[in-house]
Amino acid sequence: ATFALGAALITVVPGTFAQGYGSTNHDSLIQKIIQKFGLKETDVRSVFDSFQQDKMSQMEKQHEDRLTQLVKDGKITEAQKKLMITKHEEMQKTMQSQRDSFKDKTPEQRRALMDTKRAEMEKWAKDNGIDIQYLQPRLGGPGGHMGGRGMGMGWKK
C-alpha cells in the first residue's frame, strides 16, 4: 500500500515500510483464522498473499492513471512521468529490502528514517523540476492515502 511514488511515493514510502511493520498483525490474524476454521496455513497465507498482490496492482494502476492525467492536464511532462515511475520502482525495491529492519526500529527511529526519505524525495523532485504536490498520492478519496489516515509523507497540498 503500500507507497506507491504514488502509492508510491507514498504508499510511499509508506506503503512498503508499513506493510512490513504490520506483518505481525497479519500473522496473528492468519493464525486465528487457521485455528478457528481448521485450515491449512499455506492455504490461508496464499489467500492473504493473493489479496495483497491484487491491492498492490490496483494501487499501481491508480498511480499510473493519476500520472497520465497529470500529463494530460499539463502539470508534468511525459518525461517527468517516466522519471516518477522509475523512481517509484526504485523506492519499492529499497523499501522491500529494508522492510524487516524497519519493523525492529523504535517509533522515533522510524520517524527519523521517514523524515530522511521525505527530504531525499523533496530534493529529487526539485532537481527534476517536479512540484512536490504531484508526488503525494490521492488514493482512497479526497484526503489522500486511506482517506487521509495513512502514513503519508507529510507533504502539503
Side-chain angles (χ1 to χ4, degrees), residues 5-48:
L5 219 208
L9 277 177
I10 239 6
T11 205
V12 122
V13 141
T16 308
F17 274 151
Q19 289 170 358
Y21 180 62
S23 65
T24 302
N25 291 334
H26 290 151
D27 288 342
S28 177
L29 179 58
I30 288 170
Q31 291 305 315
K32 285 183 180 190
I33 290 171
I34 290 167
Q35 291 170 1
K36 174 84 175 173
F37 298 106
L39 302 171
K40 293 180 187 174
E41 182 173 353
T42 56
D43 293 342
V44 176
R45 285 198 185 278
S46 176
V47 170
F48 268 76

mmCIF file of all heavy atoms in Angstrom, residues 5-48:
data_model
loop_
_atom_site.group_PDB
_atom_site.id
_atom_site.type_symbol
_atom_site.label_atom_id
_atom_site.label_comp_id
_atom_site.label_asym_id
_atom_site.label_seq_id
_atom_site.Cartn_x
_atom_site.Cartn_y
_atom_site.Cartn_z
ATOM 1 N N LEU A 5 5.440 5.845 -5.580
ATOM 2 C CA LEU A 5 5.765 7.277 -5.665
ATOM 3 C C LEU A 5 4.410 7.743 -5.408
ATOM 4 O O LEU A 5 3.889 7.810 -4.631
ATOM 5 C CB LEU A 5 6.175 7.623 -7.034
ATOM 6 C CG LEU A 5 7.242 8.555 -7.249
ATOM 7 C CD1 LEU A 5 7.135 9.284 -8.519
ATOM 8 C CD2 LEU A 5 8.475 8.545 -6.653
ATOM 9 N N GLY A 6 3.684 7.201 -5.782
ATOM 10 C CA GLY A 6 2.368 7.313 -5.620
ATOM 11 C C GLY A 6 1.884 6.380 -4.826
ATOM 12 O O GLY A 6 1.950 6.466 -4.077
ATOM 13 N N ALA A 7 1.546 5.361 -4.795
ATOM 14 C CA ALA A 7 1.338 4.807 -3.535
ATOM 15 C C ALA A 7 2.589 4.414 -3.338
ATOM 16 O O ALA A 7 3.041 3.872 -3.326
ATOM 17 C CB ALA A 7 0.549 3.680 -3.263
ATOM 18 N N ALA A 8 2.995 5.134 -4.139
ATOM 19 C CA ALA A 8 4.025 5.415 -4.310
ATOM 20 C C ALA A 8 4.684 5.997 -3.435
ATOM 21 O O ALA A 8 5.078 5.857 -2.637
ATOM 22 C CB ALA A 8 3.862 5.964 -5.001
ATOM 23 N N LEU A 9 4.815 7.086 -3.921
ATOM 24 C CA LEU A 9 5.655 7.758 -3.013
ATOM 25 C C LEU A 9 4.981 7.756 -1.726
ATOM 26 O O LEU A 9 5.574 7.899 -0.758
ATOM 27 C CB LEU A 9 5.943 9.134 -3.478
ATOM 28 C CG LEU A 9 7.040 9.118 -4.435
ATOM 29 C CD1 LEU A 9 7.317 10.467 -4.982
ATOM 30 C CD2 LEU A 9 8.231 8.506 -3.886
ATOM 31 N N ILE A 10 4.454 7.688 -1.827
ATOM 32 C CA ILE A 10 3.936 7.317 -0.822
ATOM 33 C C ILE A 10 3.615 6.453 -0.342
ATOM 34 O O ILE A 10 3.776 6.723 0.467
ATOM 35 C CB ILE A 10 3.321 7.488 -0.362
ATOM 36 C CG1 ILE A 10 3.810 7.751 0.793
ATOM 37 C CG2 ILE A 10 2.773 7.262 -0.431
ATOM 38 C CD1 ILE A 10 4.322 7.845 1.180
ATOM 39 N N THR A 11 2.685 5.496 -0.826
ATOM 40 C CA THR A 11 2.255 4.443 -0.190
ATOM 41 C C THR A 11 3.314 4.160 0.066
ATOM 42 O O THR A 11 3.792 3.726 0.387
ATOM 43 C CB THR A 11 1.440 3.571 -0.570
ATOM 44 O OG1 THR A 11 0.850 2.970 0.000
ATOM 45 C CG2 THR A 11 1.044 3.126 -0.972
ATOM 46 N N VAL A 12 4.081 5.119 -0.338
ATOM 47 C CA VAL A 12 5.020 5.697 -0.450
ATOM 48 C C VAL A 12 5.708 5.394 0.590
ATOM 49 O O VAL A 12 5.953 5.145 0.968
ATOM 50 C CB VAL A 12 5.271 6.908 -0.626
ATOM 51 C CG1 VAL A 12 5.741 7.590 -0.223
ATOM 52 C CG2 VAL A 12 6.294 6.823 -1.292
ATOM 53 N N VAL A 13 5.989 5.942 0.412
ATOM 54 C CA VAL A 13 7.013 5.471 1.223
ATOM 55 C C VAL A 13 6.304 4.766 2.209
ATOM 56 O O VAL A 13 6.076 3.731 2.076
ATOM 57 C CB VAL A 13 7.785 6.593 1.677
ATOM 58 C CG1 VAL A 13 8.250 6.565 3.052
ATOM 59 C CG2 VAL A 13 8.936 6.685 0.768
ATOM 60 N N PRO A 14 5.793 5.149 2.677
ATOM 61 C CA PRO A 14 4.908 4.458 3.399
ATOM 62 C C PRO A 14 4.700 3.135 3.060
ATOM 63 O O PRO A 14 5.302 2.372 3.663
ATOM 64 C CB PRO A 14 3.744 5.293 3.253
ATOM 65 C CG PRO A 14 4.460 6.478 3.530
ATOM 66 C CD PRO A 14 5.811 6.274 3.131
ATOM 67 N N GLY A 15 3.882 2.900 2.186
ATOM 68 C CA GLY A 15 3.395 1.608 1.941
ATOM 69 C C GLY A 15 4.225 0.431 2.324
ATOM 70 O O GLY A 15 3.828 -0.335 3.149
ATOM 71 N N THR A 16 5.333 0.271 1.732
ATOM 72 C CA THR A 16 6.068 -0.950 1.937
ATOM 73 C C THR A 16 6.612 -1.047 3.348
ATOM 74 O O THR A 16 6.585 -2.106 3.939
ATOM 75 C CB THR A 16 7.200 -1.066 0.921
ATOM 76 O OG1 THR A 16 6.637 -0.869 -0.362
ATOM 77 C CG2 THR A 16 7.849 -2.405 0.971
ATOM 78 N N PHE A 17 7.103 0.062 3.894
ATOM 79 C CA PHE A 17 7.544 0.009 5.277
ATOM 80 C C PHE A 17 6.368 -0.363 6.172
ATOM 81 O O PHE A 17 6.484 -1.172 7.057
ATOM 82 C CB PHE A 17 8.097 1.359 5.736
ATOM 83 C CG PHE A 17 9.544 1.561 5.417
ATOM 84 C CD1 PHE A 17 10.034 2.832 5.209
ATOM 85 C CD2 PHE A 17 10.419 0.502 5.324
ATOM 86 C CE1 PHE A 17 11.372 3.039 4.918
ATOM 87 C CE2 PHE A 17 11.764 0.693 5.035
ATOM 88 C CZ PHE A 17 12.229 1.976 4.831
ATOM 89 N N ALA A 18 5.249 0.251 5.915
ATOM 90 C CA ALA A 18 4.072 -0.005 6.742
ATOM 91 C C ALA A 18 3.648 -1.467 6.627
ATOM 92 O O ALA A 18 3.263 -2.075 7.610
ATOM 93 C CB ALA A 18 2.928 0.915 6.341
ATOM 94 N N GLN A 19 3.720 -2.035 5.439
ATOM 95 C CA GLN A 19 3.341 -3.425 5.268
ATOM 96 C C GLN A 19 4.229 -4.311 6.127
ATOM 97 O O GLN A 19 3.761 -5.212 6.801
ATOM 98 C CB GLN A 19 3.476 -3.848 3.806
ATOM 99 C CG GLN A 19 2.448 -3.241 2.908
ATOM 100 C CD GLN A 19 2.769 -3.504 1.449
ATOM 101 O OE1 GLN A 19 3.783 -4.107 1.118
ATOM 102 N NE2 GLN A 19 1.906 -3.037 0.575
ATOM 103 N N GLY A 20 5.530 -4.079 6.063
ATOM 104 C CA GLY A 20 6.458 -4.886 6.841
ATOM 105 C C GLY A 20 6.208 -4.730 8.323
ATOM 106 O O GLY A 20 6.241 -5.684 9.079
ATOM 107 N N TYR A 21 5.957 -3.515 8.735
ATOM 108 C CA TYR A 21 5.723 -3.231 10.141
ATOM 109 C C TYR A 21 4.444 -3.903 10.611
ATOM 110 O O TYR A 21 4.355 -4.394 11.723
ATOM 111 C CB TYR A 21 5.661 -1.722 10.344
ATOM 112 C CG TYR A 21 5.411 -1.310 11.764
ATOM 113 C CD1 TYR A 21 6.317 -1.640 12.768
ATOM 114 C CD2 TYR A 21 4.278 -0.607 12.116
ATOM 115 C CE1 TYR A 21 6.099 -1.265 14.084
ATOM 116 C CE2 TYR A 21 4.057 -0.224 13.423
ATOM 117 C CZ TYR A 21 4.963 -0.559 14.402
ATOM 118 O OH TYR A 21 4.747 -0.197 15.692
ATOM 119 N N GLY A 22 3.445 -3.954 9.752
ATOM 120 C CA GLY A 22 2.156 -4.529 10.121
ATOM 121 C C GLY A 22 2.070 -6.022 9.915
ATOM 122 O O GLY A 22 1.044 -6.622 10.176
ATOM 123 N N SER A 23 3.143 -6.663 9.443
ATOM 124 C CA SER A 23 3.071 -8.086 9.138
ATOM 125 C C SER A 23 2.797 -8.926 10.382
ATOM 126 O O SER A 23 2.211 -10.000 10.287
ATOM 127 C CB SER A 23 4.345 -8.556 8.442
ATOM 128 O OG SER A 23 5.453 -8.454 9.293
ATOM 129 N N THR A 24 3.175 -8.443 11.560
ATOM 130 C CA THR A 24 2.884 -9.166 12.787
ATOM 131 C C THR A 24 1.385 -9.279 12.975
ATOM 132 O O THR A 24 0.879 -10.333 13.359
ATOM 133 C CB THR A 24 3.523 -8.447 13.998
ATOM 134 O OG1 THR A 24 4.924 -8.351 13.767
ATOM 135 C CG2 THR A 24 3.263 -9.194 15.281
ATOM 136 N N ASN A 25 0.655 -8.207 12.655
ATOM 137 C CA ASN A 25 -0.801 -8.252 12.752
ATOM 138 C C ASN A 25 -1.376 -9.245 11.762
ATOM 139 O O ASN A 25 -2.315 -9.970 12.077
ATOM 140 C CB ASN A 25 -1.403 -6.868 12.506
ATOM 141 C CG ASN A 25 -1.085 -5.918 13.628
ATOM 142 O OD1 ASN A 25 -0.856 -6.314 14.756
ATOM 143 N ND2 ASN A 25 -1.058 -4.636 13.309
ATOM 144 N N HIS A 26 -0.831 -9.269 10.536
ATOM 145 C CA HIS A 26 -1.300 -10.219 9.531
ATOM 146 C C HIS A 26 -1.044 -11.648 10.000
ATOM 147 O O HIS A 26 -1.911 -12.511 9.870
ATOM 148 C CB HIS A 26 -0.627 -9.994 8.182
ATOM 149 C CG HIS A 26 -1.061 -8.737 7.517
ATOM 150 N ND1 HIS A 26 -0.250 -8.040 6.670
ATOM 151 C CD2 HIS A 26 -2.224 -8.047 7.558
ATOM 152 C CE1 HIS A 26 -0.891 -6.982 6.231
ATOM 153 N NE2 HIS A 26 -2.074 -6.962 6.757
ATOM 154 N N ASP A 27 0.144 -11.881 10.533
ATOM 155 C CA ASP A 27 0.479 -13.224 11.016
ATOM 156 C C ASP A 27 -0.475 -13.646 12.128
ATOM 157 O O ASP A 27 -0.930 -14.790 12.162
ATOM 158 C CB ASP A 27 1.918 -13.287 11.518
ATOM 159 C CG ASP A 27 2.935 -13.228 10.394
ATOM 160 O OD1 ASP A 27 2.557 -13.475 9.227
ATOM 161 O OD2 ASP A 27 4.116 -12.941 10.683
ATOM 162 N N SER A 28 -0.786 -12.722 13.014
ATOM 163 C CA SER A 28 -1.693 -13.016 14.109
ATOM 164 C C SER A 28 -3.091 -13.350 13.569
ATOM 165 O O SER A 28 -3.724 -14.313 14.011
ATOM 166 C CB SER A 28 -1.763 -11.819 15.054
ATOM 167 O OG SER A 28 -2.689 -12.057 16.078
ATOM 168 N N LEU A 29 -3.568 -12.579 12.616
ATOM 169 C CA LEU A 29 -4.876 -12.835 12.020
ATOM 170 C C LEU A 29 -4.882 -14.170 11.280
ATOM 171 O O LEU A 29 -5.827 -14.950 11.398
ATOM 172 C CB LEU A 29 -5.262 -11.705 11.064
ATOM 173 C CG LEU A 29 -6.604 -11.855 10.349
ATOM 174 C CD1 LEU A 29 -7.747 -11.992 11.355
ATOM 175 C CD2 LEU A 29 -6.836 -10.673 9.420
ATOM 176 N N ILE A 30 -3.834 -14.435 10.537
ATOM 177 C CA ILE A 30 -3.726 -15.713 9.826
ATOM 178 C C ILE A 30 -3.805 -16.868 10.814
ATOM 179 O O ILE A 30 -4.535 -17.843 10.589
ATOM 180 C CB ILE A 30 -2.425 -15.765 8.992
ATOM 181 C CG1 ILE A 30 -2.552 -14.842 7.781
ATOM 182 C CG2 ILE A 30 -2.110 -17.196 8.565
ATOM 183 C CD1 ILE A 30 -1.256 -14.634 7.016
ATOM 184 N N GLN A 31 -3.073 -16.766 11.912
ATOM 185 C CA GLN A 31 -3.090 -17.835 12.914
ATOM 186 C C GLN A 31 -4.481 -18.020 13.518
ATOM 187 O O GLN A 31 -4.926 -19.149 13.739
ATOM 188 C CB GLN A 31 -2.048 -17.571 14.007
ATOM 189 C CG GLN A 31 -0.611 -17.708 13.538
ATOM 190 C CD GLN A 31 -0.331 -19.058 12.902
ATOM 191 O OE1 GLN A 31 -0.720 -20.108 13.404
ATOM 192 N NE2 GLN A 31 0.344 -19.030 11.755
ATOM 193 N N LYS A 32 -5.182 -16.922 13.768
ATOM 194 C CA LYS A 32 -6.542 -17.020 14.331
ATOM 195 C C LYS A 32 -7.492 -17.693 13.347
ATOM 196 O O LYS A 32 -8.328 -18.504 13.750
ATOM 197 C CB LYS A 32 -7.055 -15.639 14.716
ATOM 198 C CG LYS A 32 -6.416 -15.108 15.972
ATOM 199 C CD LYS A 32 -6.993 -13.774 16.379
ATOM 200 C CE LYS A 32 -6.301 -13.325 17.648
ATOM 201 N NZ LYS A 32 -6.945 -12.175 18.258
ATOM 202 N N ILE A 33 -7.372 -17.366 12.078
ATOM 203 C CA ILE A 33 -8.231 -17.975 11.063
ATOM 204 C C ILE A 33 -7.929 -19.476 10.958
ATOM 205 O O ILE A 33 -8.844 -20.299 10.895
ATOM 206 C CB ILE A 33 -8.047 -17.274 9.692
ATOM 207 C CG1 ILE A 33 -8.636 -15.865 9.762
ATOM 208 C CG2 ILE A 33 -8.689 -18.089 8.567
ATOM 209 C CD1 ILE A 33 -8.323 -14.996 8.552
ATOM 210 N N ILE A 34 -6.641 -19.825 10.971
ATOM 211 C CA ILE A 34 -6.242 -21.233 10.898
ATOM 212 C C ILE A 34 -6.835 -22.007 12.070
ATOM 213 O O ILE A 34 -7.423 -23.083 11.890
ATOM 214 C CB ILE A 34 -4.697 -21.349 10.897
ATOM 215 C CG1 ILE A 34 -4.134 -20.819 9.579
ATOM 216 C CG2 ILE A 34 -4.250 -22.782 11.149
ATOM 217 C CD1 ILE A 34 -2.627 -20.603 9.599
ATOM 218 N N GLN A 35 -6.702 -21.449 13.271
ATOM 219 C CA GLN A 35 -7.194 -22.130 14.465
ATOM 220 C C GLN A 35 -8.722 -22.210 14.485
ATOM 221 O O GLN A 35 -9.293 -23.242 14.807
ATOM 222 C CB GLN A 35 -6.678 -21.427 15.715
ATOM 223 C CG GLN A 35 -5.182 -21.586 15.907
ATOM 224 C CD GLN A 35 -4.626 -20.687 17.006
ATOM 225 O OE1 GLN A 35 -5.346 -19.942 17.646
ATOM 226 N NE2 GLN A 35 -3.313 -20.770 17.207
ATOM 227 N N LYS A 36 -9.368 -21.125 14.135
ATOM 228 C CA LYS A 36 -10.836 -21.065 14.202
ATOM 229 C C LYS A 36 -11.493 -22.024 13.209
ATOM 230 O O LYS A 36 -12.479 -22.678 13.536
ATOM 231 C CB LYS A 36 -11.293 -19.624 13.931
ATOM 232 C CG LYS A 36 -12.770 -19.425 13.819
ATOM 233 C CD LYS A 36 -13.415 -19.252 15.148
ATOM 234 C CE LYS A 36 -14.890 -18.931 14.962
ATOM 235 N NZ LYS A 36 -15.594 -18.900 16.200
ATOM 236 N N PHE A 37 -10.931 -22.083 11.991
ATOM 237 C CA PHE A 37 -11.598 -22.860 10.950
ATOM 238 C C PHE A 37 -10.859 -24.145 10.572
ATOM 239 O O PHE A 37 -11.285 -24.856 9.671
ATOM 240 C CB PHE A 37 -11.798 -21.983 9.707
ATOM 241 C CG PHE A 37 -12.672 -20.788 9.982
ATOM 242 C CD1 PHE A 37 -12.108 -19.522 10.077
ATOM 243 C CD2 PHE A 37 -14.042 -20.924 10.171
ATOM 244 C CE1 PHE A 37 -12.902 -18.411 10.344
ATOM 245 C CE2 PHE A 37 -14.841 -19.823 10.445
ATOM 246 C CZ PHE A 37 -14.266 -18.561 10.535
ATOM 247 N N GLY A 38 -9.756 -24.425 11.249
ATOM 248 C CA GLY A 38 -9.023 -25.660 10.991
ATOM 249 C C GLY A 38 -8.468 -25.750 9.576
ATOM 250 O O GLY A 38 -8.478 -26.818 8.963
ATOM 251 N N LEU A 39 -7.992 -24.629 9.053
ATOM 252 C CA LEU A 39 -7.477 -24.585 7.688
ATOM 253 C C LEU A 39 -5.969 -24.783 7.669
ATOM 254 O O LEU A 39 -5.293 -24.654 8.691
ATOM 255 C CB LEU A 39 -7.835 -23.233 7.051
ATOM 256 C CG LEU A 39 -9.323 -22.904 7.000
ATOM 257 C CD1 LEU A 39 -9.526 -21.460 6.551
ATOM 258 C CD2 LEU A 39 -10.041 -23.870 6.074
ATOM 259 N N LYS A 40 -5.466 -25.069 6.478
ATOM 260 C CA LYS A 40 -4.024 -25.208 6.304
ATOM 261 C C LYS A 40 -3.389 -23.823 6.231
ATOM 262 O O LYS A 40 -3.904 -22.928 5.550
ATOM 263 C CB LYS A 40 -3.706 -25.958 5.011
ATOM 264 C CG LYS A 40 -4.132 -27.386 4.996
ATOM 265 C CD LYS A 40 -3.746 -28.006 3.657
ATOM 266 C CE LYS A 40 -4.312 -29.395 3.522
ATOM 267 N NZ LYS A 40 -4.059 -29.927 2.173
ATOM 268 N N GLU A 41 -2.262 -23.676 6.900
ATOM 269 C CA GLU A 41 -1.576 -22.379 6.900
ATOM 270 C C GLU A 41 -1.216 -21.943 5.482
ATOM 271 O O GLU A 41 -1.389 -20.768 5.133
ATOM 272 C CB GLU A 41 -0.323 -22.426 7.767
ATOM 273 C CG GLU A 41 0.391 -21.088 7.820
ATOM 274 C CD GLU A 41 1.545 -21.048 8.802
ATOM 275 O OE1 GLU A 41 1.743 -22.026 9.561
ATOM 276 O OE2 GLU A 41 2.260 -20.028 8.801
ATOM 277 N N THR A 42 -0.756 -22.852 4.664
ATOM 278 C CA THR A 42 -0.370 -22.486 3.292
ATOM 279 C C THR A 42 -1.562 -21.954 2.504
ATOM 280 O O THR A 42 -1.408 -21.028 1.706
ATOM 281 C CB THR A 42 0.265 -23.682 2.544
ATOM 282 O OG1 THR A 42 -0.634 -24.785 2.568
ATOM 283 C CG2 THR A 42 1.596 -24.062 3.162
ATOM 284 N N ASP A 43 -2.744 -22.517 2.724
ATOM 285 C CA ASP A 43 -3.940 -22.044 2.017
ATOM 286 C C ASP A 43 -4.318 -20.629 2.455
ATOM 287 O O ASP A 43 -4.631 -19.774 1.630
ATOM 288 C CB ASP A 43 -5.128 -22.985 2.263
ATOM 289 C CG ASP A 43 -4.943 -24.353 1.636
ATOM 290 O OD1 ASP A 43 -4.075 -24.493 0.741
ATOM 291 O OD2 ASP A 43 -5.661 -25.293 2.046
ATOM 292 N N VAL A 44 -4.288 -20.407 3.760
ATOM 293 C CA VAL A 44 -4.667 -19.096 4.279
ATOM 294 C C VAL A 44 -3.641 -18.045 3.839
ATOM 295 O O VAL A 44 -4.009 -16.959 3.379
ATOM 296 C CB VAL A 44 -4.803 -19.121 5.819
ATOM 297 C CG1 VAL A 44 -5.094 -17.722 6.370
ATOM 298 C CG2 VAL A 44 -5.905 -20.100 6.227
ATOM 299 N N ARG A 45 -2.371 -18.368 3.943
ATOM 300 C CA ARG A 45 -1.332 -17.432 3.505
ATOM 301 C C ARG A 45 -1.456 -17.136 2.014
ATOM 302 O O ARG A 45 -1.237 -16.015 1.576
ATOM 303 C CB ARG A 45 0.060 -17.958 3.837
ATOM 304 C CG ARG A 45 0.386 -17.838 5.300
ATOM 305 C CD ARG A 45 1.874 -17.934 5.577
ATOM 306 N NE ARG A 45 2.081 -17.918 7.014
ATOM 307 C CZ ARG A 45 2.113 -16.814 7.755
ATOM 308 N NH1 ARG A 45 1.960 -15.647 7.189
ATOM 309 N NH2 ARG A 45 2.297 -16.887 9.057
ATOM 310 N N SER A 46 -1.814 -18.138 1.243
ATOM 311 C CA SER A 46 -1.990 -17.954 -0.200
ATOM 312 C C SER A 46 -3.095 -16.940 -0.478
ATOM 313 O O SER A 46 -2.948 -16.069 -1.347
ATOM 314 C CB SER A 46 -2.313 -19.295 -0.856
ATOM 315 O OG SER A 46 -2.578 -19.112 -2.221
ATOM 316 N N VAL A 47 -4.199 -17.030 0.257
ATOM 317 C CA VAL A 47 -5.297 -16.072 0.087
ATOM 318 C C VAL A 47 -4.839 -14.667 0.473
ATOM 319 O O VAL A 47 -5.083 -13.703 -0.248
ATOM 320 C CB VAL A 47 -6.535 -16.494 0.923
ATOM 321 C CG1 VAL A 47 -7.579 -15.393 0.947
ATOM 322 C CG2 VAL A 47 -7.132 -17.784 0.363
ATOM 323 N N PHE A 48 -4.135 -14.549 1.592
ATOM 324 C CA PHE A 48 -3.636 -13.235 2.019
ATOM 325 C C PHE A 48 -2.665 -12.657 0.999
ATOM 326 O O PHE A 48 -2.746 -11.487 0.645
ATOM 327 C CB PHE A 48 -2.958 -13.337 3.396
ATOM 328 C CG PHE A 48 -3.883 -13.080 4.541
ATOM 329 C CD1 PHE A 48 -4.795 -14.044 4.939
ATOM 330 C CD2 PHE A 48 -3.849 -11.882 5.234
ATOM 331 C CE1 PHE A 48 -5.660 -13.813 5.986
ATOM 332 C CE2 PHE A 48 -4.705 -11.634 6.279
ATOM 333 C CZ PHE A 48 -5.618 -12.606 6.665
#
